[in-house]
Amino acid sequence: MRNGLSAAAFVPVTASLPELAKASKRCEGCDLYRNATQTVFGEGPKNAPVFLVGEQPGDREDIAGQPFVGPPGRMLDQALSDAGIDRNVVYVTNAVKHFKFEERGKRRLHKKPNAAEIKACHPWLEAELNAVKPRIVVAMGATATPAPAGRNVQLTRDRGKFLPYPSAEALLVTIHPSFLLRMPDRDIKEREYNRFVEDFKLVNDRLKQSA
């Protein structure tokens, strides 16, 4: 990636979510746009109380142009439901808006975005946060965690805690649902899924307390 690039030049100064989504389609803030099918912008209601941040779109999301529509998205939907949170009142997005991958035969395998690519895409995330003004931000996964936090946040240390955050009442960090899909051991997977649900139950309880 060329040094010094950022999405900032492509982000409208003041814009609604539909206007931001439209503008994001033209983003060339980093070199990831060159190989991705399209920009995958966030989705959800304007005043969503919960704002979920994943890492980056996957293969299914890149093709569909929507966040969390593949297997991790179905896992997320189930966890939200089990925690008593309606997906329809949640805004979902990713720290990086283009799919980064490496080709393996006919398959496109996920490749982790680097720090420069995450930083380059951060203006889009800031614009989404300013437009939605959520009450709770949930960062899912190691790549997503530092982007919305803007501070020294560690997933293993800070998971399950409500942390101060300037754009919302609180920030909570948890795992990405794709982490669960990679677990081969059924018992460990079930235990970790239950813990994932418990993280969202904390969010639901916080919403009820401050309603």
Side-chain angles (χ1 to χ4, degrees), residues 16-101:
S16 65
L17 284 173
E19 290 170 335
L20 287 170
K22 182 178 180 179
S24 74
K25 305 302 181 185
R26 301 188 297 272
C27 185
E28 298 179 4
C30 77
D31 287 344
L32 293 184
Y33 82 93
R34 297 181 183 278
N35 296 320
T37 303
Q38 58 191 316
T39 305
V40 180
F41 203 69
E43 287 186 346
K46 176 184 177 181
N47 297 315
V50 181
F51 188 103
L52 303 185
V53 186
E55 297 179 325
Q56 70 157 340
D59 182 75
R60 300 275 186 89
E61 288 79 9
D62 174 69
I63 294 170
Q66 295 177 276
F68 290 95
V69 295
R74 291 192 290 273
M75 179 73 74
L76 174 62
D77 288 349
Q78 185 61 54
L80 288 170
S81 177
D82 289 344
I85 298 176
D86 184 355
R87 168 70 185 265
N88 293 323
V89 302
V90 172
Y91 188 89
V92 293
T93 191
N94 286 293
V96 174
K97 307 299 194 234
H98 286 110
F99 180 36
K100 183 177 183 179
F101 61 91

Side-chain angles (χ1 to χ4, degrees), residues 10-199:
F10 300 89
V11 180
V13 177
T14 57
S16 65
L17 284 173
E19 290 170 335
L20 287 170
K22 182 178 180 179
S24 74
K25 305 302 181 185
R26 301 188 297 272
C27 185
E28 298 179 4
C30 77
D31 287 344
L32 293 184
Y33 82 93
R34 297 181 183 278
N35 296 320
T37 303
Q38 58 191 316
T39 305
V40 180
F41 203 69
E43 287 186 346
K46 176 184 177 181
N47 297 315
V50 181
F51 188 103
L52 303 185
V53 186
E55 297 179 325
Q56 70 157 340
D59 182 75
R60 300 275 186 89
E61 288 79 9
D62 174 69
I63 294 170
Q66 295 177 276
F68 290 95
V69 295
R74 291 192 290 273
M75 179 73 74
L76 174 62
D77 288 349
Q78 185 61 54
L80 288 170
S81 177
D82 289 344
I85 298 176
D86 184 355
R87 168 70 185 265
N88 293 323
V89 302
V90 172
Y91 188 89
V92 293
T93 191
N94 286 293
V96 174
K97 307 299 194 234
H98 286 110
F99 180 36
K100 183 177 183 179
F101 61 91
E102 59 182 2
E103 293 183 321
R104 192 76 58 84
K106 294 183 178 181
R107 299 179 63 194
R108 301 189 303 171
L109 301 182
H110 169 281
K111 189 174 182 181
K112 186 176 181 179
N114 61 40
E117 290 159 346
I118 296 169
K119 183 178 180 181
C121 205
H122 191 62
W124 288 116
L125 188 62
E126 289 184 329
E128 288 174 290
L129 284 164
N130 290 334
V132 176
K133 295 180 174 58
R135 292 168 60 186
I136 299 175
V137 175
V138 180
M140 301 183 294
T143 300
T145 298
R151 50 178 288 165
N152 181 24
V153 176
Q154 298 178 15
L155 178 59
T156 54
R157 182 191 66 196
D158 297 320
R159 182 179 179 181
K161 303 175 184 176
F162 285 108
L163 305 172
Y165 185 59
S167 298
E169 292 178 11
L171 167 75
L172 184 134
V173 297
T174 186
I175 60 170
H176 193 279
S178 62
F179 173 73
L180 297 169
L181 295 173
R182 294 193 296 268
M183 288 185 169
D185 186 283
R186 181 177 298 181
D187 291 338
I188 296 177
K189 182 176 182 179
E190 182 178 0
R191 183 176 70 238
E192 289 300 319
Y193 173 78
N194 290 335
R195 188 181 177 195
F196 188 48
V197 172
E198 288 301 317
D199 288 339

